Amino acid sequence: MMLIVKDLVKKYKDFKALKGISYEVKEAEIFGILGPNGAGKSTMIKILTCFHKKTSGEVSINGIPIDRISSIKRLIGWVPQEETFYEKLTAIENLEYFSSLYNIPKKIFRERAESILKMLEIDHKKNSIAESLSGGMKRRLSIAIALIHNPKILYLDEPTAGVDPVSRRALWEGIRKIKQQGITILFCTHYMDEAELLCDRVAILRSGEIISIDAPSNFKKKYKSLENAFIELVKK
Ligand SMILES: Nc1ncnc2c1ncn2[C@@H]1O[C@H](COP(=O)(O)OP(=O)(O)O)[C@@H](O)[C@H]1O
Ligand SMILES: [Mg+2]
């Protein structure tokens, strides 16, 4: 298993944002977390990226416990809800900077940057100043940065929030290609269409608890659509 989460609890003072959640994600799977605002999606991702400490429970990535932070950091890439790049640098300069944080040799960096920029179809923008890019291009640059150290698992927090319909499609295509490279992807969203299109399995999170995990096709069989499933399950 690429990711194992067992009885994960997160408290902020007296408030339990995660109430003991468990799931497992296989290598090269796309796993979606669906949940209304405040369900605990970002909290969960922040724990998986070592940004927040868990209160209790067990999390391991590729067999390595989450508290071995320096080993874990090499395995994970994270695209938060906010953009991660330096606005005044070009796309390629941003990649070069983040690559230097991982001590990636220049030659490997150049090859890798080229293939990631091609895969995400932003290679023609590599010399553009980041702030001049369109919304969708900015998102793709943040994803490119998260991939530059060749992680085994990629976390995306609402990757298409605020992105226009055409750019969303380009992002979905990019996410599919990342999976084809064998990279495991976990992402949060509240868009049913993208969860249905992209995810191998989806977990529905409500008030810090997972209330259901299944393939989108199975949710569709039972509830007609993933959206219906979500509405039915969340209101219970
Ligand atoms: N740093 C924090 N301190 C206290 N409460 C927090 C903190 N971060 C999130 N919360 C609370 O935890 C709950 C889950 O938040 P969050 O993980 O951001 O949800 P989501 O990403 O699903 O919208 C919310 O009720 C939120 O107010
Ligand atoms: Mg959030």
Side-chain angles (χ1 to χ4, degrees), residues 17-190:
L18 297 176
K19 298 173 181 165
I21 63 178
S22 304
Y23 59 86
E24 299 187 347
V25 181
K26 289 191 282 278
E27 188 165 1
E29 188 173 19
I30 304 188
F31 190 79
I33 311 277
L34 276 178
N37 280 330
K41 303 182 297 297
S42 294
T43 297
M44 206 188 68
I45 288 213
K46 284 173 186 163
I47 291 169
L48 297 180
T49 55
C50 307
F51 194 74
H52 280 179
K53 269 207 148 74
K54 60 184 161 64
T55 304
S56 64
E58 284 163 44
V59 181
S60 68
I61 297 168
N62 212 18
I64 299 174
I66 196 90
D67 30 86
R68 282 177 47 198
I69 295 176
S70 55
S71 306
I72 291 290
K73 291 259 174 182
R74 265 180 263 136
L75 294 177
I76 63 172
W78 179 25
V79 185
Q81 275 175 275
E82 317 74 38
E83 305 299 356
T84 51
F85 48 74
Y86 288 94
E87 293 198 322
K88 304 290 178 195
L89 298 180
T90 65
I92 193 77
E93 284 166 350
N94 265 293
L95 285 172
E96 205 166 355
Y97 169 71
F98 285 97
S99 161
S100 73
L101 301 180
Y102 291 94
N103 295 318
I104 297 166
K106 270 266 150 59
K107 185 168 177 283
I108 293 179
F109 161 73
R110 276 194 293 267
E111 287 165 8
R112 205 178 276 165
E114 196 175 316
S115 86
I116 293 170
L117 290 169
K118 274 215 183 89
M119 175 173 74
L120 297 173
E121 291 176 25
I122 45 171
D123 42 329
H124 60 298
K125 293 285 183 188
K126 70 177 180 191
N127 295 315
S128 302
I129 303 289
E131 68 179 356
S132 74
L133 298 174
S134 70
M137 291 282 175
K138 284 180 176 163
R139 293 267 72 196
R140 282 186 261 168
L141 176 57
S142 287
I143 296 173
I145 288 168
L147 292 173
I148 198 65
H149 58 294
N150 205 17
K152 291 190 87 62
I153 184 163
L154 179 69
Y155 305 119
L156 303 161
D157 198 343
E158 303 197 10
T160 66
V163 169
D164 70 74
V166 176
S167 305
R168 284 182 82 206
R169 269 160 221 287
L171 276 168
W172 293 342
E173 201 44 52
I175 291 169
R176 283 202 194 95
K177 287 189 202 155
I178 295 166
K179 175 191 163 92
Q180 283 163 14
Q181 307 277 312
I183 296 173
T184 307
I185 298 172
L186 183 140
F187 79 92
C188 300
T189 185
H190 44 228

